[in-house]
Amino acid sequence: MDKVASDRSYLRCLWAVAMLVGGVTTADAQEAAALVLGRAPGVNAVQGALVWSAREGDPRWRWLDWTGAAPRLEATASMWHGRANVSENATLLGLGLQPLLRWTLAPRRSGLPFVDFGIGPRLWSGKRIGAQQRFGTVFEFGTVLGLGIQRDGHDLYVRLEHTSNGGLRQPNPGINFVLLGVAWRLRS
């Protein structure tokens, strides 16, 4: 991929995220805070997130009605810590913005089950985590797929996350995490 095409890809991604942020982060959106713990081969992760979700029936999101999904947005701050060969580049810090779609399933006695899917940009403090894991850029994309349950003002979930630069620059090994999270609604 040449540099001009690469620059256009960055701009398209940032434009799409900006459009979603503008639509979801309004004064009438619900807010939540989340704490997430994760593990990948050789790496532990801790993540804090602020979550905005559009109110049900918001006319700005009618174009999504056919999907049955509700739009959400997560702003994340993450720390990855290498478990092996930690003498160099043991920790990476990152910021992310992740648009999500949430499908809510039929209620159960245990709560309201849901499925989340999202893709969003990440910006990291470096390109290495430990001696083994090296990325091509500090700008990466995260893709998540998760299952969870909503109950008593809390969301409990498990997610699979793949982070890579989408082939924009080599090396592009990517990294896969299993994440466990809990979110608390800050207001209803």
Side-chain angles (χ1 to χ4, degrees):
M1 181 180 284
D2 65 13
K3 177 147 176 45
V4 172
S6 174
D7 289 345
R8 286 184 186 147
S9 295
Y10 284 124
L11 291 174
R12 284 187 196 121
C13 175
L14 292 174
W15 179 84
V17 169
M19 295 304 291
L20 189 58
V21 170
V24 174
T25 60
T26 62
D28 64 347
Q30 293 178 330
E31 286 130 11
L35 176 64
V36 182
L37 302 175
R39 194 171 181 111
V43 180
N44 291 330
V46 176
Q47 182 181 85
L50 290 176
V51 184
W52 294 270
S53 57
R55 296 263 184 211
E56 191 173 326
D58 187 329
R60 292 173 290 184
W61 298 104
R62 282 185 209 208
W63 62 275
L64 279 175
D65 285 351
W66 67 274
T67 68
R72 300 170 63 83
L73 182 71
E74 290 183 355
T76 60
S78 303
M79 181 178 71
W80 291 355
H81 185 75
R83 294 191 307 271
N85 302 322
V86 294
S87 60
E88 72 175 80
N89 306 312
T91 302
L92 280 181
L93 302 176
L95 297 173
L97 196 58
Q98 181 160 280
L100 288 166
L101 292 177
R102 174 168 285 183
W103 289 268
T104 304
L105 308 174
R108 307 276 192 258
R109 285 182 6 174
S110 58
L112 192 60
F114 60 83
V115 175
D116 286 338
F117 174 74
I119 299 174
R122 312 275 196 277
L123 187 61
W124 294 98
S125 61
K127 295 192 271 185
R128 295 188 88 118
I129 182 74
Q132 303 296 323
Q133 189 73 288
R134 185 172 153 244
F135 302 97
T137 65
V138 295
F139 181 78
E140 303 279 316
F141 297 95
T143 305
V144 298
L145 178 62
L147 298 170
I149 193 144
Q150 194 175 76
R151 181 181 181 154
D152 300 326
H154 298 81
D155 293 353
L156 300 171
Y157 54 87
V158 62
R159 287 180 177 167
L160 301 176
E161 178 176 323
H162 172 77
T163 299
S164 71
N165 67 34
L168 295 175
R169 187 168 298 155
Q170 296 301 320
N172 184 32
I175 190 166
N176 298 310
F177 284 90
V178 174
L179 304 169
L180 298 173
V182 60
W184 298 268
R185 269 175 267 171
L186 301 174
R187 67 180 184 169
S188 52

